[in-house]
Structure formats: structure tokens, C-alpha cells
Amino acid sequence: SGDAMTDHTHELAHVGDPGLDRLLFFSDGVFAIAITLLAIELHVPHGWDGHAATLFHEGKPMLAAFALSFAVVGVFWNSHRRLFLGMQRFTAGVFVLNLILLAGIALMPFVTVLLYSPPVTIETFGIYLGLVSAIGLANGLAQGYAYFIADVIRPRRPFAVRLAATLMQTFMPAACCGLSLAFFAHAPFWIIGPLALIVAGLVGFMIRAQRRAK
């Protein structure tokens, strides 16, 4: 039974470092709780008459905010998963940056409620986008630290690919979220246009870096 326990421990250990497993278990728990709280914050619109059409019409801002935040948290979780997939060992720098990221994720249910709680102003969208941008920055810094400072990601990809991936993780979530909020708020083209250019530029840089690496 001792051998069985040893084998089981090695199966759980992420690339041989149990510290990474503990960090991942904790992180996944925060992501799961944030997703759950997003749903808990949903409520029946005041004065609902019992008809489905009325429910979706009156609850549209709330449901749209929920869908956006669900997507945001899901994207950050997938990015987090991919970052740690090739990580070789636990590092204090990644741990600190990961805590900052998780703090932002934990605040997502709160800022989501702001999107459909009157009064909804341009500052409301700014607060929401600011939090998403801060989470993206923490995520990008964690990836950049793991890639370029601690050098704990394997296989070690070419510099341009690592840089493109780091920039994508840092700025793409906020740019895509900004586009969604811009459409949600019927923003003018001078706001939507630059955001679309940022998204296109990040995708183009990533594609070019990957092609040159082949």
C-alpha cells in the first residue's frame, strides 16, 4: 500500500513539484467560487409578471453582464491553466503575481453587479474594464516572469513566441472586454476602432511569431 500511495502522490504532483499542485488547487477554487457567485447574484426582476418574454426583456442587462463576466473568468482560467501546464517548479514571484490575479478574479462578481445596478454611467464601465485590465496585467506579468526571469516554462519556445504570448495574455482580455462593453453601451466608432486594431495587432503579431519559429 505504501508503493501505491507513492505512485498516487507522483500522479498528483505537477511535473514533480507538489507546491505547484497546491497553488493550482487553491487557484481553481477561487475561479470556481467566482463563477458561482456570478450566478448567485442573479435575481428575478422587480415586478416580473411571470412571462418568459418579460423576464428576458427586463433581465437583459443583468444576463448580458453575467454572460460577459462568465466569459472573462473562463478566459482567465484557461490562460492560467495553460501557463501552469508547462511550468517546471514553484517560484515565489509567480506565487505573488498569481495572488494578485486571484484577488482581481474574486472581485469580478462585485463589478458585474455594477453593470446592471442603477445608476449605470460611463464610470461604471471604466471600473469594470479597469479591473479586467488589472487582472490581465497580473496575468501577463506572471507569464513574463515565468518565461523570462525564472525561466521555468518547458519546452522553451523562441523569444518572439514567448513575447507574443505574454502580450496576448496581458492585453487581449481587456481589449476584447472593452469591445464587448463598447457594443453594449453603443459607443462611437472612435472608441471601437482602436480596440479592434489592438485585437488585430496582437493576433497578427502572434501569428507572425509562430510562423517565423517554424
Side-chain angles (χ1 to χ4, degrees):
S1 59
D3 292 339
M5 290 181 62
T6 302
D7 291 341
H8 182 63
T9 301
H10 282 295
E11 287 175 4
L12 285 177
H14 188 81
V15 291
D17 189 344
L20 278 176
D21 280 317
R22 297 293 302 275
L23 183 59
L24 282 173
F25 292 154
F26 174 68
S27 300
D28 284 345
V30 173
F31 279 103
I33 291 172
I35 287 283
T36 303
L37 289 177
L38 288 177
I40 290 177
E41 293 293 344
L42 298 176
H43 59 271
V44 177
H46 180 72
W48 179 48
D49 60 6
H51 296 290
T54 307
L55 175 64
F56 286 108
H57 176 72
E58 295 183 357
K60 185 165 59 176
M62 176 177 58
L63 295 174
F66 167 79
L68 176 61
S69 292
F70 190 95
V72 168
V73 175
V75 166
F76 277 122
W77 174 82
N78 187 54
S79 172
H80 187 275
R81 176 189 65 85
R82 296 185 64 177
L83 169 62
F84 282 87
L85 192 62
M87 195 173 295
Q88 300 296 296
R89 58 183 174 83
F90 179 92
T91 60
V94 171
F95 169 71
V96 172
L97 292 168
N98 186 68
L99 281 183
I100 297 173
L101 182 152
L102 294 179
I105 292 296
L107 287 173
M108 284 299 300
F110 170 70
V111 297
T112 302
V113 174
L114 297 180
L115 291 181
Y116 57 85
S117 297
V120 178
T121 66
I122 190 65
E123 291 186 22
T124 303
F125 293 102
I127 293 170
Y128 186 94
L129 186 57
L131 178 62
V132 174
S133 300
I135 298 172
L137 179 61
N139 190 42
L141 288 174
Q143 180 148 316
Y145 183 91
Y147 269 139
F148 301 106
I149 299 177
D151 192 21
V152 291
I153 304 293
R154 294 294 182 273
R156 197 170 189 271
R157 297 187 288 177
F159 176 83
V161 175
R162 286 180 284 153
L163 178 61
T166 301
L167 292 175
M168 284 278 286
Q169 302 303 336
T170 305
F171 299 110
M172 183 63 85
C176 290
C177 181
L179 274 175
S180 300
L181 289 174
F183 284 116
F184 186 74
H186 306 290
F189 180 77
W190 62 268
I191 293 179
I192 296 176
L195 290 172
L197 287 176
I198 292 173
V199 172
L202 289 170
V203 172
F205 183 41
M206 172 61 80
I207 292 174
R208 183 178 179 184
Q210 290 178 338
R211 286 179 177 175
R212 293 187 65 180
K214 291 182 179 179

